[in-house]
Amino acid sequence: MSEMPGRVAVRFVVNGRPVEREVEGRQSLADCLRDGLSLTGTHLGCEQGVCGACNVLVDGQVVRSCLMLAAQAEGCQVTTVEGIGEGDRRLNPLQQAFLDNHGLQCGFCTPGMLIAATALLKENPHPSREEVTAAISGVVCRCTGYTDIVDSILAAADAMAR
Amino acid sequence: MKPAPFSYERPSTEAAVLERLAGHGQRAKLLAGGQSLMPMLALRLVRPDVVIDLGGLPDADRLEEHDQELKIGPLVRHQAVVDSALVRSKIPGLAQAAGWIGHREIRNRGTVLGSLAHADPAAELPALAVALGATLVCRSQKGERLLPAAEFFLGLFQTALAEGEMLVSCHLPLNDLTAASVFTEFALRDGDFALAAVAASLLTTADGKVASVRCAVAGMGPMPVSDPSAEQQLIGETASEAVFTDFAHDLLSHAEPQDDLRASADYRLKLAASLIVEALTESMAAGRKGGNARV
Ligand code: FES
Ligand code: FES
C-alpha cells in the first residue's frame, strides 16, 4: 500500500481508570495494554489465539487480548491481571491460593490462568474439578502439569465461600 | 506476528458498511468477532488494506424467534447461543454445536455469522446450517439474496458471498425436526478442531419408522457433507442401528477425509460413521420425548 493508514482514537476503561489512546488500526488490545499503557502483566505467548497467556476480561467476559484490536475495545470495561488484586499490593484470595498451592512455576501462563479463574468463579462460585479443568482448558502451561493450578482454583473457591 | 498495516473503519449503519464494501471491493475484510480473522491477520495469511469492524452496528447481536424461524444477527456470539434458553429448548443442536467451538475465551468473542462466512471445513456451524436447512441472507448495495446453506458453502474457506456482499442474517427453521436436533463431535483435546463432527435430526412415527431426517458432517472434506437422497431413502425404514449404519455409509461415500498428524483418513471415516449413528439415535430419543435430550 502506498501510504500509512491513519490512527484511530479509542476510549475505554482499564482496571477502573478511563483511558484515551490514538492507536494504529492493526494494534491488538494486548499490545495497547502492554506497550501503550505499560500493563505488562498481560503476557503474549503466541499472538495467534492459542496459548491464553493474554487473557483479559472485557465487560466481565474472559477473552484473548491478542485476538481483539485495541480499536474494538471502544467503550468497553477492560480488566487485566493488575486489576484483580485488592489494591495496595495485597493479594486477593485467588492469588493467595495460587501462592499457597504452588499454582505457578515460571509464571508465564499465570495471568491467563488467573483471569480465566476469575471469570469462572464469578459465574460459578462452587465449581467441580471438571468445571475448573474446562475453564482453564484454553490456557497452556508448560511447567506445572496443571494439577496444582486446579487445586489452587478449588482452594480459592473454598476460601471465598468462608 | 503483527498484522500488516491496514485502515480501520467502524461504520454505525449497515448501509454504510455495504457502501464501504462496494467501494473497497476485495481490498476490504469484514471484522465481526475476529476469532478467525485476527490469527489470519497476525500470520499475514490475509493482508487487507481496510478492515471494516461490524462492532458499531446497532442491534446486530439480536437472536430472536420470528415466523417460526430463529433469526441470528451478524454479532450474535457463540456463547450467547450456548446460553440462550430459546435456542436450548427449540433448537438444541445449535446450542450444542456452539458449545463445542474452541474455548470459552473464543466463544465469548466469536460470532455465528463470522464462522459461517469463514467456512472452515472443520467448523461446527456450517455443518449444522446445512443439516438443519438454514437460509443465509446475503446483502449488498445491489440487493439481497436468500441462499440455502447447502448452496452457500462452495469449498475450502469458500462461500457464495459475492464481492461487496455481507452475510447479514442466518434463519433456522423452528419445528419438531429442529427441536430434536443433536450435535456431537470428537476432538483430541478440549477446544481442538474436531476430527469429525455431526449435526443430525430425526423423527420417527409412533410405530418406529423414520418420518424425517437431516444430517451433515464436518471435518470430512472441504465443506459440510450431506446426502439428501440417502435421507429420502431412510424415510419409512424401521429405525435401528443397522439402518443408521447403512445411512452413515451412504453419506460418507461423499466424504473426502484427509490424513494428517492427528488422525488417518480411515480413522476419521470410522469415527464419523459411529458419530452419525450416535447422533441419529440420540435425536430419535429426543424427538420421542418431544424435546431435547441434553444441552
Ligand atoms: S498470546 Fe494471545 S492466546 Fe497466545
Ligand atoms: S507456570 Fe510456567 S507456563 Fe505455567
Side-chain angles (χ1 to χ4, degrees), chain B residues 131-155:
Chain B
L132 300 189
T135 302
L136 301 177
V137 184
C138 310
R139 206 171 285 157
S140 72
Q141 278 199 313
K142 292 185 205 133
E144 183 175 282
R145 296 191 296 154
L146 301 185
L147 291 180
E151 293 170 25
F152 182 79
F153 300 103
L154 301 182

Side-chain angles (χ1 to χ4, degrees), chain B residues 105-129:
Chain B
E105 293 91 326
I106 307 300
R107 294 192 293 275
N108 279 342
R109 288 293 298 169
T111 65
V112 172
L113 266 57
S115 174
L116 294 173
H118 182 56
D120 188 299
E124 288 81 1
L125 296 176
L128 182 103

